[in-house]
């Protein structure tokens, strides 16, 4: 009679997470071979099987025993926690068989039964941290040279993989995890979310949510899996989440989507895709190709151009490439049409924000006629709270539309998650001292892509009648100087004005200071993180400290008491 080896992954440790096939396999086997702790974990599933228990370091003798017994005709289950093919027994059993000249289909038959590996069970407890490209690295250097492990950590870190560290630490192996942290910190922000999950779905389950710089201050052991986020992973309450990128193409808080299903796969709507011919963007010999938006202020941060002329370290490569991608990603499909890099060959809906100017609030009739003509029968014009009209029109030639609008004396800007500068009308131009500053700030910053819409409000006098202090960033021009407000919460039932962080800033210093604040936000904000949340999280921007707001007290006002 032919024997059989069933190599069973029984998941993290709880009965509910063992697959039906794994249960059947355990029940149909005559012999169970496994490490003591694992046999105890599945004890309730056993009927009258013989049990061969071994210590943890005896994998080879376990595999040999299984092969010998199965060759004699027994049905043998070799059990591994998680998935038997992930640092488990599957490979070793095959290797022992191969040493004996066994061929697939020979006696004994082999079946590998998949299980839920630690990366998946631990991720589920943390939230959704491995939503994007991820890898596993075992820090055990008992069988793998440390030089190889180190190289893999470095490669995964530089390529921005989410990383699950298996076998992170044991009684004797304590330096590896510290060394790993050191390497990761060369590539990732110290505040990168890190989840430590010990004994997932077992009695002593313990989950710690921490950060890359703090992770060693917590207990990490043999039963811990360490999940390191990538550069966009964030915490939301207790949840560790890595965005998949849906927000690049979809609006997640409305039912209606700007792109219709058929449009979502078009190259012009995926400027980051290979088919959108962005490959040249990566080539250091072609620095011009890194420019994304013609006629717009270049976003800050290192560019391909910066690294093109120097020795390029892998880290510089990675950050230049990410910058490049980020810029492409943050360019909406409409502003992508403005791009010199990706002219839109086919008619698509072109969307652009239009205003008479930063201080001027009045469209003249010629401009209105021009707008109506450009919108045509199929287009539309929407008025918004940002002192802009949004023109949507079907066109093959967006650049022509932009030119017509500019020639007509209008200011045009991309829509979506960009910086919006909204100023008052300076009392119809009477209080004009602040106008040059408003114009300079608008010229430098308006339209730059950001994680989440960033509104900068500008008021030309202390009356602040246009509500600048209620915007993400508020500027009030007073007697040749500025008062600065940061972190207004612009919407919601708990909307609040920004915190007044400074008064009397010399007017000439304001545009540079504002640019530095915005750059700090652009470079460090989490995906979708609005400015007020960012300010609260980082605690300080350009020396201005965030102050927690007093808690709102809800008083039950009972009538008559
Ligand atoms: N075959 C297993 C991995 C075995 S290597 C699997 O696929 O999950 C052993 C390592 O796996 C441990 O050091 C730990 O990092 C991880 N691990 C296994 N089970 C775990 C659990 N229940 N909770 C957390 N980590 C676990």
């Amino acid at each position: 009679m032919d024997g059989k080896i069933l190599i069973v992954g029984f998941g993290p440790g709880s009965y509910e997470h063992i697959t039906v096939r794994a249960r059947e396999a355990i029940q149909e086997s005559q012999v169970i071979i496994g490490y003591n702790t694992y046999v105890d974990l599945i004890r309730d599933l056993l009927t009258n099987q013989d049990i061969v228990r071994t210590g943890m370091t005896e994998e080879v003798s376990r595999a040999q025993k299984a092969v010998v017994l199965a060759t004699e005709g027994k049905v043998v289950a070799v059990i591994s926690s998680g998935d038997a093919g992930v640092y488990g027994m599957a490979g070793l059993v095959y290797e022992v068989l191969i040493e004996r000249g066994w061929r697939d289909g020979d006696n004994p038959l082999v079946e590998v039964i998949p299980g839920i590996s630690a990366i998946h069970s631990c991720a589920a407890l943390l939230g959704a941290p491995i939503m994007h490209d991820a890898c596993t690295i075992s820090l055990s250097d008992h069988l793998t040279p440390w030089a190889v492990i180190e190289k893999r950590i470095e490669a995964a870190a530089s390529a921005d993989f989410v990383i699950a560290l298996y076998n992170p630490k044991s009684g004797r192996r304590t330096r590896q995890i510290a060394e790993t942290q050191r390497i990761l910190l060369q590539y990732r922000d110290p505040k990168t979310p890190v989840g430590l999950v010990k004994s997932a779905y077992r009695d002593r389950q313990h989950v710690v949510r921490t950060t890359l710089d703090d992770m060693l201050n917590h207990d990490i052991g043999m039963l811990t899996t360490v999940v390191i986020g990538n550069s966009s992973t964030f915490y939301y309450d207790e949840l560790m989440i890595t965005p998949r990128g849906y927000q690049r193409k979809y609006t997640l808080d409305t039912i209606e989507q700007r792109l219709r299903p058929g449009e979502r796969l078009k190259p012009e709507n995926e400027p980051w895709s290979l088919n959108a011919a962005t490959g040249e963007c990566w080539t250091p010999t072609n620095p011009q190709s890194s420019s994304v938006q013609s006629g717009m202020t270049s976003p800050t941060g290192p560019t391909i151009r910066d690294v093109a002329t120097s020795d390029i370290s892998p880290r510089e490569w990675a950050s230049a490439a990410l910058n490049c991608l980020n810029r492409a990603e943050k360019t909406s499909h409409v502003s992508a049409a403005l791009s010199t890099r990706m002219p839109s060959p086919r008619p698509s809906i072109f969307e652009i924000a239009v205003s008479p100017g930063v201080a001027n609030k009045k469209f003249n009739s010629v401009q209105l006629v021009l707008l109506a003509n450009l919108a045509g029968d199929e287009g539309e014009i929407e008025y918004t709270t940002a002192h802009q009209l949004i023109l949507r029109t079907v066109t093959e030639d967006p650049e022509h539309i932009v030119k017509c609008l500019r020639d007509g004396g209008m200011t045009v800007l991309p829509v979506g998650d960009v910086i919006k500068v909204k100023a008052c009308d300076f009392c119809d131009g009477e209080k004009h001292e602040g106008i040059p500053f408003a114009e300079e700030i608008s010229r430098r910053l308006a339209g730059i892509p950001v994680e989440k819409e960033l509104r900068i409000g500008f008021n030309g006098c202390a009356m602040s009648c246009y509500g600048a202090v209620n915007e993400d960033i508020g500027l009030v021009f007073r007697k040749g100087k500025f008062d600065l407000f940061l972190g207004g919460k612009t919407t919601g039932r708990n909307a609040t004005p920004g915190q007044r962080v400074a008064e009397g800033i010399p007017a000439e210093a304001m545009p540079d200071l504002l640019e530095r604040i915005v750059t700090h936000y652009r470079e460090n904000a989490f995906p979708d993180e609005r400015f007020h949340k960012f300010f609260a999280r980082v605690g300080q921007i350009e020396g201005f400290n965030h102050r927690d707001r007093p808690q709102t007290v809800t008083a039950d006002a009972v009538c008559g008491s």
Side-chain angles (χ1 to χ4, degrees):
M1 190 190 121
D2 274 358
K4 191 166 182 188
I5 305 182
L6 300 158
I7 309 173
V8 183
F10 63 82
S14 63
Y15 285 110
E16 300 78 55
H17 297 95
I18 304 178
T19 66
V20 172
R21 180 65 197 128
R23 283 164 193 262
E24 283 169 5
I26 289 168
Q27 269 145 21
E28 74 194 42
S29 64
Q30 297 161 309
V31 185
I32 299 278
I33 300 185
Y35 158 53
N36 288 323
T37 314
Y38 296 168
V39 175
D40 291 340
L41 279 168
I42 57 148
R43 170 155 296 284
D44 291 353
L45 291 178
L46 301 180
T47 45
N48 55 354
Q49 291 90 346
D50 292 337
I51 298 175
V52 179
R53 291 162 161 274
T54 63
M56 189 165 64
T57 53
E58 295 161 47
E59 289 106 349
V60 176
S61 62
R62 251 181 272 159
Q64 288 168 336
K65 186 88 184 159
V67 169
V68 169
L69 290 172
T71 310
E72 289 168 6
K74 291 250 164 46
V75 179
V76 183
V78 180
I79 57 169
S80 282
S81 74
D83 183 278
V86 180
Y87 315 116
M89 290 296 291
L92 183 54
V93 170
Y94 276 124
E95 283 179 72
V96 170
L97 284 165
I98 291 165
E99 278 295 311
R100 298 173 139 228
W102 171 91
R103 313 291 310 185
D104 196 8
D106 286 356
N107 179 39
L109 295 172
V110 178
E111 182 183 344
V112 182
I113 294 144
I116 303 173
S117 186
I119 183 173
H120 300 117
S121 51
C122 297
L125 291 171
L126 289 165
I130 57 162
M131 272 300 291
H132 220 289
D133 300 331
C135 66
T136 65
I137 301 179
S138 166
L139 296 193
S140 170
D141 51 3
H142 289 312
L143 302 172
T144 310
W146 178 252
V148 172
I149 299 175
E150 200 173 31
K151 221 171 180 176
R152 290 181 184 163
I153 298 166
E154 179 130 17
S158 65
D160 205 28
F161 277 84
V162 175
I163 307 171
L165 298 173
Y166 284 58
N167 301 305
K169 197 173 167 186
S170 70
R172 264 182 290 168
R173 287 185 308 101
T174 54
R175 286 179 50 211
Q176 287 74 359
I177 185 71
E179 206 32 38
T180 303
Q181 183 203 39
R182 188 188 63 74
I183 299 169
L184 290 169
L185 279 169
Q186 290 170 20
Y187 295 91
R188 301 232 175 136
D189 191 299
K191 295 297 168 212
T192 302
V194 170
L196 309 175
V197 183
K198 187 176 173 188
S199 299
Y201 298 97
R202 299 189 193 172
D203 286 347
R204 298 201 178 144
Q205 172 179 304
H206 187 59
V207 180
V208 174
R209 290 151 185 99
T210 174
T211 49
L212 189 53
D213 58 350
D214 183 52
M215 62 187 241
L216 297 186
N217 297 324
H218 303 271
D219 181 31
I220 297 178
M222 293 254 289
L223 280 171
T224 310
T225 296
V226 179
V227 180
I228 319 259
N230 72 12
S231 60
S232 39
T233 306
F234 61 92
Y235 280 121
Y236 183 81
D237 295 336
E238 294 285 275
L239 300 171
M240 183 173 169
I241 293 168
T242 302
R244 174 81 202 280
Y246 288 103
Q247 73 277 15
R248 281 174 206 140
K249 250 195 266 175
Y250 296 80
T251 43
L252 302 185
D253 56 354
T254 59
I255 306 262
E256 208 157 297
Q257 298 296 332
R258 183 141 46 90
L259 297 178
R260 286 192 293 273
E263 293 173 330
R264 288 179 200 149
L265 299 176
K266 287 187 180 169
E268 62 266 34
N269 295 330
E270 301 174 332
W272 50 82
S273 70
L274 187 57
N275 281 355
T278 54
E280 89 235 44
C281 177
W282 297 75
T283 313
T285 51
N286 187 9
Q288 287 82 358
S289 58
S290 68
S291 94
V292 174
Q293 292 186 311
S294 58
M296 303 251 170
T297 314
S298 149
T300 50
T303 65
I304 288 279
R305 196 190 300 260
D306 298 334
V307 293
T309 49
S310 57
D311 282 340
I312 307 167
S313 73
R315 178 151 193 222
E316 285 167 324
W317 260 120
S319 70
L322 274 175
N323 252 331
C324 214
L325 278 175
N326 283 341
R327 265 175 274 157
E329 285 166 1
K330 285 172 190 169
T331 306
S332 72
H333 101 278
V334 170
S335 42
L338 281 172
S339 149
T340 49
R341 195 156 59 91
M342 289 165 288
S344 170
R346 276 166 288 161
S348 60
I349 299 174
F350 179 64
E351 184 182 42
I352 194 153
V354 186
S355 70
V358 65
N360 179 11
K361 305 290 169 210
K362 294 169 187 163
F363 287 97
N364 60 37
S365 49
V366 177
Q367 289 170 331
L368 288 174
V369 169
L370 174 62
L371 276 167
N373 284 335
L374 291 174
D377 289 343
E378 292 180 50
E380 62 182 22
I381 299 168
E382 177 186 339
Y383 69 93
T384 70
T385 55
H387 292 193
Q388 296 171 329
L389 297 181
I390 293 183
L391 167 68
R392 291 191 193 93
T393 180
V394 178
T395 179
E396 285 177 31
D397 190 358
E399 304 221 354
H400 171 70
I401 306 258
V402 171
K403 184 170 181 315
C404 289
L405 291 166
R406 285 193 177 138
D407 289 350
M410 285 175 270
T411 300
V412 291
L413 288 166
V415 293
D417 286 324
V418 295
I419 299 179
K420 294 176 183 152
V421 179
K422 176 172 146 183
C424 66
D425 69 354
F426 299 84
C427 292
D428 211 6
E430 267 179 44
K431 295 192 174 168
H432 51 80
E433 297 87 348
I435 294 179
F437 297 102
E439 283 174 343
E440 184 179 352
I441 286 165
S442 177
R443 188 178 46 75
R444 283 209 216 176
L445 298 175
I448 290 183
V450 273
E451 280 303 337
K452 204 73 195 157
E453 177 194 51
L454 179 80
R455 291 175 173 236
I456 299 177
F458 190 117
N459 258 115
C461 77
M463 290 293 289
S464 199
C465 61
Y466 270 67
V469 303
N470 296 319
E471 305 291 4
D472 296 283
I473 299 178
L475 305 174
V476 177
F477 185 79
R478 211 161 45 93
K479 299 184 184 141
K481 299 205 161 100
F482 278 101
D483 296 344
L484 174 63
F485 297 76
L486 294 182
K489 184 170 181 315
T490 59
T491 55
R493 288 203 315 133
N494 53 352
T496 35
Q499 179 186 316
R500 187 171 54 209
V501 294
E503 290 187 339
I505 298 171
E508 302 68 37
M510 199 61 233
D512 282 346
L513 173 62
L514 198 56
E515 195 162 350
R516 289 199 300 278
I517 291 171
V518 167
T519 302
H520 188 60
Y521 169 63
R522 292 189 75 232
E523 290 179 352
N524 298 293
F526 289 158
D528 272 355
E529 189 176 37
R530 188 120 191 182
F531 184 79
H532 70 92
K533 285 196 177 158
F534 172 75
F535 187 28
R537 178 170 64 79
V538 298
Q540 195 191 67
I541 302 179
E542 283 298 310
F544 302 124
N545 289 320
H546 178 265
R547 287 190 306 270
D548 284 334
R549 295 177 200 289
Q551 291 289 315
T552 315
V553 179
T554 315
D556 273 338
V558 181
C559 256
S561 65

